[in-house]
Amino acid sequence: MELNLVNWLLALSPVLAVLILMVGAGWGGSRAGSAGLLAALALALTAFGGDANLALVAVGKSVLLAIDVLYIVWMALFFYNVTNEAGAVALIGLSLPRLTADRAAQSLLISWVFVSLLQGVGGFGVPVAVVAPLLVGLGYTATQSVIMASLGHGWAVTFGSLGTSFVALTAVTGLPGEALAHDAALILGLACLISGALVAYVSAGWSGFLRSIPLLAFVGAAMGLTQWWIATNGIWTLGSTSGALAGAFVGVLYVLSPLHQGRTKGADAAPDESGRSLALALAAYGILLVLAFAVNLIEPLEKVMDSALIQVDFPAVSTSLGWVVPAESGRAISVFGHAGAILFYAGLIAFLIYRVAGYFDSPTVWSEIWRKVSRSALKSTVSILALVAMASLMTHSGMTQIIARGISETFDADIYPLFAPFIGTLGAIMTGSNTNSNVVFGALQQETATLLALSAPIVLAGQTAGASLGSVLAPAKIIVGCSTVGLSGQEGPVIRRMLLLGLIPVVFVALFTFARLAF
């Protein structure tokens, strides 16, 4: 397919349209996503030589991808509303200051450590959807909450979701995980510190960041080194999960230490007059983690849960310009073993526990919970459907590949490593997924590294690290977080600030990738 400046700009225009409308004009995700979808459809059928059959296949695949995401969105909202109606969120918000009165330390424990743990065992939008409301309960603004929960787990995406994104990278490149894990885990482990620093800054400004340096150092080292050790020993499916568990252990020890208490003395938590138990309040999250581990790590149980799959086979399609997408199966959705299903099980068990404990005041609480879920999720549903369809049309018509080729062919071997992570970031923002970015751009980055005589594992580490950090900047992901804190239709200002802060760790990854190849 011919590559020139006009084609490159045309290919990029749907993404630019969405970003400009959301960031510049303040449009909500549903309106901006629909505009981007229409632009991608028009370009696919005209400038890029697609036809109605190609469009139908692309949209058909996107529906499966969107269902995969929306299953989680709806169930995450269900899980949250169960805990919120039971008073669990408010109780955790009251109880945390008893552990530490330092606002920055509170935010780090929840929106850096806990959110990363959720990314490790679930991912796919769950971390922000669950954690952002917890932060609102602690008194942070809705915008702060979404930003902190998003930025805090960017480092944990590649080896999170039981290593889905990393496994995808090994599949498309044909390289063994042992060859890729060292550099990927090393770069992401260092990026973990930047993620934590951003959370501390958003939470409490420069003073909060400076006050949190010891906590950042201890917890960041625990999470980064543990993830690196687990991944390089061949257990990359548990990289982020193990790292976050180590971080939680070290973090709690630190905030309970005399050193930390000396820095936060004199601050008392508000009293809890509800009569509710903190152990029961936390039970829902414990149940969620236990179920996630069990379903993903107990092989017989995993097979049973994955016995019912929704999957559709799609034919090969091509454009008149020569771009070909081979026949393939669409996204497989496990009806009973999906992350959304796990969220539902956890929420249902928690609902029954809270019902027996007398934590619900209304006899119609079940219907009230689902009414709130529907009200929050409808706008997000439209937005996600539109954005996923836009990304699928761009991939199937060759637009995504043209964008990547234009970037990669512009730079020589000396400076290309600086831009490799940004290609991963671009792919993640466009598709909303670290996994998809690795699938779309992994082979391209490998080929480019080979042609430029660069180390493919290091370039690919930059690719997946950039995609990991960039995935939390994707409009589709931000929409999910906004929907759980009452910001549906008001995502523009959140995205604007997220881009300013979220590109900082990507720049760091780019510099580190460059340094790794230069020295």
Side-chain angles (χ1 to χ4, degrees):
M1 190 181 302
E2 183 181 356
L3 176 63
N4 55 52
L5 180 59
V6 173
N7 280 348
W8 190 82
L9 291 174
L10 285 174
L12 191 61
S13 59
V15 179
L16 290 177
V18 171
L19 293 177
I20 290 171
L21 290 173
M22 294 188 77
V23 179
W27 283 24
S30 56
R31 291 175 66 197
S34 298
L37 171 58
L38 290 175
L41 178 61
L43 288 167
L45 295 176
T46 56
F48 294 95
D51 56 18
N53 186 49
L54 181 143
L56 286 173
V57 168
V59 172
K61 290 179 183 178
S62 76
V63 170
L64 289 176
L65 289 170
I67 290 174
D68 194 35
V69 175
L70 292 170
Y71 195 173
I72 295 168
V73 172
W74 283 73
M75 293 305 105
L77 286 166
F78 166 68
F79 178 86
Y80 164 67
N81 278 284
V82 167
T83 57
N84 189 50
E85 288 295 313
V89 173
L91 181 56
I92 293 171
L94 287 173
S95 301
L96 190 59
R98 297 188 181 97
L99 187 62
T100 171
D102 187 336
R103 295 281 284 172
Q106 292 173 5
S107 67
L108 287 169
L109 290 175
I110 290 182
S111 51
W112 186 36
V113 178
F114 181 57
V115 77
S116 296
L117 182 59
L118 290 176
Q119 176 61 38
V121 298
F124 305 107
V126 170
V128 180
V130 172
V131 168
L134 281 176
L135 294 170
V136 171
L138 286 173
Y140 292 101
T141 68
T143 298
Q144 275 182 304
S145 300
V146 173
I147 291 173
M148 288 191 293
S150 299
L151 295 179
H153 77 282
W155 71 277
V157 178
T158 288
F159 292 103
S161 306
L162 280 299
T164 302
S165 299
F166 185 74
V167 171
L169 186 64
T170 64
V172 298
T173 61
L175 295 175
E178 291 80 3
L180 298 174
H182 170 75
D183 287 295
L186 180 64
I187 293 177
L188 285 166
L190 292 170
C192 174
L193 293 169
I194 309 299
S195 296
L198 288 171
V199 167
Y201 170 74
V202 174
S203 167
W206 283 111
S207 62
F209 163 69
L210 294 173
R211 192 169 62 248
S212 301
I213 287 177
L215 177 60
L216 287 166
F218 289 128
V219 174
M223 292 200 290
L225 288 173
T226 300
Q227 176 176 262
W228 175 85
W229 188 84
I230 292 290
T232 53
N233 279 277
I235 320 174
W236 40 79
T237 55
L238 293 178
S240 295
T241 305
S242 301
L245 285 171
F249 179 74
V250 172
V252 170
L253 286 181
Y254 177 81
V255 298
L256 293 177
S257 69
L259 176 63
H260 183 71
Q261 291 295 337
R263 293 186 177 192
T264 59
K265 61 183 180 181
D268 296 319
D272 170 34
E273 301 175 353
S274 67
R276 289 172 166 81
S277 162
L278 177 60
L280 281 182
L282 293 170
Y285 301 97
I287 292 166
L288 175 60
L289 294 176
V290 169
L291 287 176
F293 272 113
V295 172
N296 285 286
L297 298 179
I298 302 175
E299 189 172 346
L301 178 60
E302 183 181 15
K303 287 182 178 179
V304 171
M305 301 298 280
D306 288 340
S307 59
L309 295 177
I310 298 174
Q311 192 167 32
V312 179
D313 294 328
F314 292 93
V317 291
S318 61
T319 69
S320 61
L321 301 179
W323 178 255
V324 178
V325 177
E328 61 181 354
S329 299
R331 183 81 168 189
I333 300 173
S334 174
V335 177
F336 302 112
H338 193 276
I342 294 170
L343 278 165
F344 176 72
Y345 305 147
L348 180 60
I349 294 171
F351 178 87
L352 295 174
I353 291 173
Y354 294 145
R355 168 73 84 181
V356 171
Y359 283 12
F360 295 122
D361 299 324
S362 170
T364 61
V365 65
W366 180 260
S367 58
E368 291 172 5
I369 286 171
W370 283 107
R371 195 158 44 244
K372 291 181 178 180
V373 170
S374 300
R375 189 164 57 244
S376 299
L378 285 176
K379 285 185 179 180
S380 299
T381 298
V382 174
S383 304
I384 290 169
L385 282 168
L387 287 167
V388 173
M390 180 194 80
S392 183
L393 278 166
M394 291 179 65
T395 298
H396 282 70
S397 59
M399 283 187 266
T400 301
Q401 287 69 23
I402 282 180
I403 296 170
R405 282 174 54 199
I407 295 173
S408 63
E409 294 177 9
T410 301
F411 308 104
D412 60 27
D414 292 334
I415 61 173
Y416 180 77
L418 287 171
F419 294 92
F422 286 98
I423 295 175
T425 299
L426 177 64
I429 290 175
M430 289 167 57
T431 65
S433 167
N434 185 173
T435 300
N436 288 343
S437 180
N438 286 348
V439 169
V440 172
F441 296 141
L444 172 66
Q445 296 263 34
Q446 180 186 20
E447 181 180 353
T448 303
T450 300
L451 290 173
L452 296 175
L454 299 172
S455 168
I458 296 177
V459 170
L460 289 170
Q463 152 67 34
T464 195
S468 181
L469 296 164
S471 67
V472 303
L473 304 177
K477 289 281 185 71
I478 298 172
I479 289 166
V480 171
C482 288
S483 70
T484 64
V485 293
L487 290 178
S488 292
Q490 305 173 55
E491 299 92 349
V494 179
I495 291 178
R496 188 181 304 122
R497 192 173 180 198
M498 279 280 290
L499 286 174
L500 291 174
L501 293 171
L503 288 176
I504 293 174
V506 180
V507 171
F508 167 82
V509 164
L511 292 172
F512 186 78
T513 304
F514 174 79
R516 279 282 292 148
L517 284 165
F519 305 104

